[in-house]
Amino acid sequence: MKLEDWKEKNPYFIESVKVTKLLSKYDITWKLSDTNVLVGKNGSGKSTLLQLLHLALDGPDGKDRSINSVAPKFDSITVTLNNGMATTVSSGSNNNHNQKLKKLLENVISDPEFREKMRKNSEDKNDVDFKTLLEALNVDMNEEGTGKVKRTISGSSNFIDYSKDDNGINLFKQNISMEFISTFDMLLLSKEEYAEFGESTYSQIDIMIKKEVSKLKSLMISLNNETSTEYTTLPYKKDFNTIKSSRFSQLNIFIKEVNKLFNPEDKHFSFTNDGSLLVKTMGKEISVEELSSGEKQLLIILLKVANTGYKHSIIFLDEPEISLHLSWQEKLISSVRRINPKSQLIIVSHSPGLVMDGWMDKAVDMADISDKWTGE
């Protein structure tokens, strides 16, 4: 499909991204397509750029992103969609605010009556160390010194200024789901999340798999209800299994792709009638917890993609190749695209294997989209 045709068909996907002063070094200009694999040397800002993209689309209040970790790493990011909508999120130090506080404090402590009152209220009756207070405030204002500059995020979060319709509906989030998949930087689960799945001890990824399977169960219930409704309300008779097969097409593709990838490992996956995920090896049923760490990692990636498979989605993948052997790496993008053909993929990777099987033209090097920052 030609790029212009793709853009017209997918108006809410990302067309381009611009970042100023990434890592205090680079200005970034990046044109995107349906599948994008960002490569480059360590420390070049690839993962940070991925986080910033998600932040800009999800908004500064997005609960899944750590604002404090990325705030010091950029000045501004502008994301433009295929339909021309755009949003800008900025990160700025609080120096101006501190300057005003410092000025106010200087005026207050220069007042003899205030200073005398503070001395009288002081336990040791000695002069209050106002100089130390001012020096402490100066530390926060000194970008070049030892003090750490505090930065805040601001901007048109969630496309508030751009994408709400007449009824106040956010058109971007109404039309697009997002999934950020990071296989090496997983957040710790809360005690409540552990309790939700019983008292058994599971690894972090075991809990994540259980949560994604639970989402798939809910999806399957919804699809079954839609199948029944269509079968009973159509003015003409249509075979029930034909309707169900159509409704479950993407889930069937998910199972097909999983089994294709796991076939060399002699593992076979299927859904039970209640929507549980059944795993067999050599004809014997095993639990998901018995899979290897690499197998679990591949499974969680595919499960997360499957849960977006019925909606246009932007899927962020941060170094998905970790713990995956080469044959899985080579097949991953193709499998993800088949499980959710309505997706825009934005991937950060260090592995050449990820693009070997027909995706070389989708690889972009950070060096090719970066310019040395030349601003003030």
Side-chain angles (χ1 to χ4, degrees), residues 115-298:
R115 295 176 68 90
E116 182 63 27
K117 184 176 180 179
M118 291 297 292
R119 280 196 297 271
K120 288 181 179 179
N121 291 334
S122 175
E123 291 183 1
D124 58 11
K125 304 301 180 183
N126 292 324
D127 195 9
V128 178
D129 194 356
F130 297 109
K131 181 180 179 181
T132 300
L133 291 176
L134 290 174
E135 288 177 348
L137 194 57
N138 273 324
V139 165
D140 269 346
M141 291 185 290
N142 181 13
E143 293 198 33
E144 304 301 326
T146 58
K148 184 177 181 180
V149 179
K150 298 174 184 176
R151 299 176 73 86
T152 56
I153 301 290
S154 61
S156 50
S157 66
N158 299 324
F159 291 86
I160 287 174
D161 297 333
Y162 301 91
S163 67
K164 286 195 174 183
D165 64 10
D166 293 338
N167 296 317
I169 302 298
N170 186 305
L171 295 177
F172 173 74
K173 292 200 170 183
Q174 185 182 52
N175 286 278
I176 294 291
S177 65
M178 288 191 294
E179 185 65 67
F180 193 101
I181 304 174
S182 176
T183 52
F184 66 95
D185 188 25
M186 298 176 182
L187 297 175
L188 292 175
L189 294 174
S190 67
K191 292 180 180 179
E192 290 76 11
E193 288 175 304
Y194 277 103
E196 181 182 347
F197 296 98
E199 297 180 357
S200 300
T201 301
Y202 298 109
S203 70
Q204 169 79 31
I205 200 164
D206 287 333
I207 297 295
M208 294 181 69
I209 289 174
K210 286 178 177 291
K211 291 175 72 175
E212 293 302 322
V213 170
S214 179
K215 289 180 184 178
L216 270 185
K217 281 185 178 182
S218 298
L219 176 59
M220 292 173 70
I221 291 172
S222 176
L223 293 173
N224 272 318
N225 291 337
E226 291 174 9
T227 300
S228 298
T229 300
E230 183 176 350
Y231 180 72
T232 56
T233 59
L234 277 176
Y236 54 89
K237 283 297 179 182
K238 192 174 183 179
D239 181 69
F240 180 85
N241 289 330
T242 300
I243 299 173
K244 185 172 182 178
S245 177
S246 176
R247 293 282 182 181
F248 278 74
S249 60
Q250 288 308 125
L251 284 184
N252 291 333
I253 291 173
F254 161 72
I255 285 293
K256 181 179 179 181
E257 290 299 320
V258 171
N259 284 326
K260 189 189 303 182
L261 290 167
F262 278 85
N263 184 59
E265 317 304 320
D266 197 21
K267 304 285 194 322
H268 183 270
F269 293 74
S270 61
F271 288 118
T272 62
N273 290 333
D274 68 351
S276 299
L277 192 62
L278 182 66
V279 190
K280 288 186 177 181
T281 180
M282 300 179 66
K284 178 184 176 182
E285 183 179 342
I286 63 172
S287 68
V288 173
E289 289 78 31
E290 294 178 70
L291 298 174
S292 70
S293 59
E295 290 173 331
K296 290 177 183 178
Q297 180 168 302
L298 176 62

Side-chain angles (χ1 to χ4, degrees), residues 42-54:
N42 289 333
S44 59
K46 301 184 302 297
S47 292
T48 299
L49 180 54
L50 202 68
Q51 292 174 347
L52 290 178
L53 260 173
H54 190 262

Side-chain angles (χ1 to χ4, degrees), residues 25-36:
K25 299 177 183 178
Y26 310 111
D27 288 338
I28 303 293
T29 303
W30 187 15
K31 296 283 187 179
L32 282 80
S33 62
D34 57 345
T35 301
N36 310 270

